[in-house]
Amino acid sequence: MKGVDRKSEILDEVFENFLRGFKIFKNREVLRHDYIPDYLPHREEHIRYLGEIVAPTLGGFPCSNVFIYGKTGTGKTAVIKYVLKKLVAKARSLNSPVRVCYINCRLAGTEYRILSSLCNAIFVDVPFTGLALGEVFDRFRGGLNSEKIILLTVLDEIDVLVKERGDSLLYELTRINEDLSGSRVSIIGISNDLSFKEYLDPRVLSTLSEEEIVFKPYNASELRDILLDRASMAFQEGVLTEGALSLCAALAAAEHGDARRALDLLRVAGELAEREGSKQIVEDHVRRAKRRIEHDRMIEALKSLPLHSKFVLLSVYLLSKTGSNKSVTGDIYNVYCEVCERLGMAPLTQRRVSGLINELDVIGLLNSRVVSLGRYGRTKKITLSVPKSLVRRVFAEDERFISIIDYTPKCLMKP
DNA sequence: CGTCCACAGGAATGACGGGCGG
DNA sequence: CCGCCCGTCATTCCTGTGGACG
C-alpha cells in the first residue's frame, strides 16, 4: 500500500508541476514537419520561379512540366504546397479552370491509388479497388474531356514510384495531352534522388523535365533563420536562448542541412525544457534532445529487425558480455546456433548470417571490419555499435528473449 | 617462400508469398 | 477466382585472399 501511495504522490507532483509550471510552448503544431508556414526563409527565389512557371494556368493555359530535386529537409514539399495553396486561392477568386492534385507516391503506393487520386481531383468517382488500370485511366481521360480543366499534378517522391513500379504511368501521363481537346495536364515531379533520371525512359525524361529546379541543402545560418521564424510562433517570448538556437542550426547543418531534423531538435528540446519546468531552452536541452532522438531511432531500428537479425545481434551482445574480445564471424555463428537451439528455431546457414551481419553493419547497429589472422584465417571482427544496456533493455522487453538474455554461451566455457 | 586457415563474398538456384492480368 | 510472374529471402556451391607459421 505504501508503494501505491508513493506512486500517486509522484504523479500528483508531476501533474502539479505541469499545471503550475511555466509553459514553454505557445503553439507546438508549427514545429511538426507537415506544417506549412506562410513564410519560407531562403526559398524566395524558388517560390518566385515556380510561381512564374505555374502562373499561365490561371489564364487557362497549360504550364511547363517541372522536375524538382533536393535532399530531404531542403524545403521542396513545403515550397510546392505553399505555391499550390496560393495558386488555388487565386484561381478560385478568378474562377479559372485550374485544379491541383498533390500526391505523395510513396504514401499512395500503387499506380492505381495515384490514378484514383487524380480522378478525385477532377471529381470523377472511382471505386477503391476492382477496376483495371486501363479502365481507371479511361475514366480519367473522359473526365478531362467533359469540360475544360487545367490539371496541375504534383508527384512527390516520384523516384519511389519509378523504382518500384517503373515509368509506365508517367509515360501515359506525359502523352495524355495528345488525346485531350480543351483540357491540359501538367506535371511537377519531386525527387530526393538526383541519379533517378537513369531509371526513366528518355522520352519521358525529356517531356517531364522542361524545367528543372535543384534545392540545395540549407547551411547553418539559413537553418538559424528558419528556426528563428518558427520559434517565434512556437514558443513564448524569450524562452529560446541564443546558444540553443545556434546549436540546433549547427547540428542540423552538419547532418546534410536537413531542416526537418533541425525542427525536430527544437521541438524535443522544448519538450524536455517544459517537462522539467525550466523557463528557458538552453544548449544542454538541445544536446539532450539530440541524444534522445538518436536513442529513439536506435530503439526503433532494433525493435523492427527481422527475427534472425535479432538473434544475430543478441549473439553479439552475449559474446561481448563475456568480455572475451573474440567476436569474429565463426564465434558469433556458434553462439547464434546455440541461441536458435534454445529457442527451438532452425538456424540459418553461416553464409546467410554473414549477410545479416553486413546488413546490421549498414544500418549502423554493428561495426564490422575484415581482419586477417594469418595462419588462423581471414575473418571479420564485429562489435556492437549501440550501448549494451540499450540492447539488453530492448530484448528484455520481448518475452521471447527473456529466457536467453542472461545466457552464457557454451562455446566459451572451454579455456 | 610456399602453405593453408577461416572465413569473405559472388553466382546460381530454390522456396514462398503477394500482386496482377485475364 | 486462378494461374502466372516477380521480388525477397535463404541455401548451395564456389572461388578468392592476407598474412602467421613452418
Side-chain angles (χ1 to χ4, degrees), chain A residues 41-43 73-74 215-227 245-246 248-259 262:
Chain A
H42 302 289
R43 287 296 179 246
T74 50
F215 280 53
K216 292 208 188 90
Y218 297 107
N219 63 34
S221 98
E222 290 168 341
L223 284 170
R224 210 175 157 285
D225 293 335
I226 294 170
L227 292 176
L245 172 68
S246 299
C248 272
L251 289 175
E255 210 179 319
H256 328 113
D258 184 343

Side-chain angles (χ1 to χ4, degrees), chain A residues 128-390:
Chain A
F128 296 108
T129 178
L131 293 184
L133 267 178
E135 169 67 19
V136 184
F137 205 82
D138 286 344
R139 291 198 194 182
F140 177 55
R141 197 180 354 240
L144 285 170
N145 267 329
S146 65
E147 57 181 313
K148 173 167 173 153
I149 296 172
I150 304 297
L151 180 64
L152 189 54
T153 308
V154 179
L155 298 173
D156 203 346
E157 305 200 54
I158 195 173
D159 48 327
V160 179
L161 168 73
V162 174
K163 278 177 200 162
E164 288 181 5
R165 315 264 159 177
D167 59 1
S168 52
L169 177 63
L170 284 182
Y171 183 70
E172 296 294 333
L173 277 178
T174 53
R175 292 188 30 178
I176 195 171
N177 285 334
E178 296 165 14
D179 301 336
L180 296 177
S181 44
S183 297
R184 286 291 179 269
V185 176
S186 299
I187 301 169
I188 298 178
I190 306 180
S191 165
N192 294 321
D193 182 3
L194 249 165
S195 68
F196 132 84
K197 285 180 179 180
E198 296 159 17
Y199 293 84
L200 280 182
D201 185 306
R203 282 171 298 181
V204 177
L205 182 63
S206 69
T207 319
L208 275 186
S209 53
E210 291 167 347
E211 302 279 352
E212 282 192 19
I213 305 178
V214 177
F215 280 53
K216 292 208 188 90
Y218 297 107
N219 63 34
S221 98
E222 290 168 341
L223 284 170
R224 210 175 157 285
D225 293 335
I226 294 170
L227 292 176
L228 198 57
D229 181 56
R230 292 295 177 93
S232 70
M233 294 182 279
F235 300 126
Q236 303 289 350
E237 197 79 16
V239 155
L240 182 62
T241 63
E242 180 60 38
L245 172 68
S246 299
L247 185 57
C248 272
L251 289 175
E255 210 179 319
H256 328 113
D258 184 343
R260 205 174 296 179
R261 282 270 158 278
L263 291 166
D264 279 342
L265 271 175
L266 200 59
R267 178 176 47 81
V268 175
E271 283 166 0
L272 285 172
E274 183 165 277
R275 208 165 295 162
E276 67 189 33
S278 169
K279 287 188 166 38
Q280 282 196 317
I281 304 172
V282 296
E283 288 172 51
D284 187 51
H285 290 128
V286 178
R287 287 198 199 91
R288 273 154 57 201
K290 179 177 158 66
R291 279 204 296 274
R292 169 73 181 277
I293 289 170
E294 281 165 5
H295 184 259
D296 287 357
R297 263 215 300 259
M298 273 183 204
I299 289 185
E300 207 33 57
L302 249 160
K303 278 185 176 168
S304 61
L305 245 31
L307 189 59
H308 281 275
S309 296
K310 284 184 178 170
F311 288 166
V312 172
L313 204 74
L314 181 63
S315 306
V316 181
Y317 165 74
L318 291 175
L319 260 172
S320 75
K321 212 163 47 107
T322 64
S324 78
N325 238 7
K326 35 179 284 184
S327 290
V328 294
T329 307
D331 298 325
I332 289 169
Y333 186 66
N334 287 336
V335 178
Y336 162 83
C337 287
E338 282 182 47
V339 168
C340 286
E341 191 191 346
R342 283 188 57 109
L343 297 179
M345 308 279 299
L348 303 175
T349 56
Q350 177 157 339
R351 177 71 187 86
R352 182 62 191 136
V353 168
S354 158
L356 292 180
I357 289 173
N358 285 339
E359 286 171 25
L360 289 168
D361 188 15
V362 171
I363 308 174
L365 294 175
L366 288 183
N367 262 320
S368 76
R369 65 173 216 280
V370 279
V371 291
S372 183
L373 305 172
R375 186 77 248 227
Y376 306 104
R378 197 164 171 269
T379 181
K380 227 170 189 177
K381 249 212 152 62
I382 293 134
T383 51
L384 279 176
S385 48
V386 288
K388 283 185 213 175
S389 56
L390 196 143

Side-chain angles (χ1 to χ4, degrees), chain A residues 26-185:
Chain A
K26 190 159 65 183
N27 179 4
R28 199 179 301 239
E29 292 302 301
V30 304
L31 294 182
R32 309 189 69 87
H33 351 93
D34 49 0
Y35 175 79
I36 312 161
D38 281 327
Y39 169 56
L40 290 155
H42 302 289
R43 287 296 179 246
E44 294 88 349
E45 286 295 307
H46 290 324
I47 290 173
R48 165 176 287 273
Y49 189 47
L50 254 175
E52 286 168 359
I53 293 173
V54 301
T57 58
L58 289 170
F61 305 103
C63 71
S64 300
N65 294 326
V66 192
F67 248 27
I68 299 178
Y69 300 103
K71 291 191 179 166
T72 49
T74 50
K76 305 180 297 296
T77 305
V79 164
I80 270 290
K81 286 195 169 171
Y82 175 82
V83 172
L84 290 186
K85 197 167 97 182
K86 299 283 179 187
L87 182 72
V88 167
K90 195 73 181 170
R92 197 159 292 156
S93 72
L94 293 173
N95 208 14
S96 61
V98 182
R99 301 275 159 71
V100 302
C101 182
Y102 171 88
I103 301 170
N104 183 310
C105 299
R106 192 169 47 82
L107 295 183
T110 65
E111 290 172 286
Y112 188 97
R113 284 206 279 267
I114 291 172
L115 263 178
S116 81
S117 300
L118 287 173
C119 288
N120 289 336
I122 57 169
F123 307 116
V124 170
D125 277 339
V126 286
F128 296 108
T129 178
L131 293 184
L133 267 178
E135 169 67 19
V136 184
F137 205 82
D138 286 344
R139 291 198 194 182
F140 177 55
R141 197 180 354 240
L144 285 170
N145 267 329
S146 65
E147 57 181 313
K148 173 167 173 153
I149 296 172
I150 304 297
L151 180 64
L152 189 54
T153 308
V154 179
L155 298 173
D156 203 346
E157 305 200 54
I158 195 173
D159 48 327
V160 179
L161 168 73
V162 174
K163 278 177 200 162
E164 288 181 5
R165 315 264 159 177
D167 59 1
S168 52
L169 177 63
L170 284 182
Y171 183 70
E172 296 294 333
L173 277 178
T174 53
R175 292 188 30 178
I176 195 171
N177 285 334
E178 296 165 14
D179 301 336
L180 296 177
S181 44
S183 297
R184 286 291 179 269
V185 176

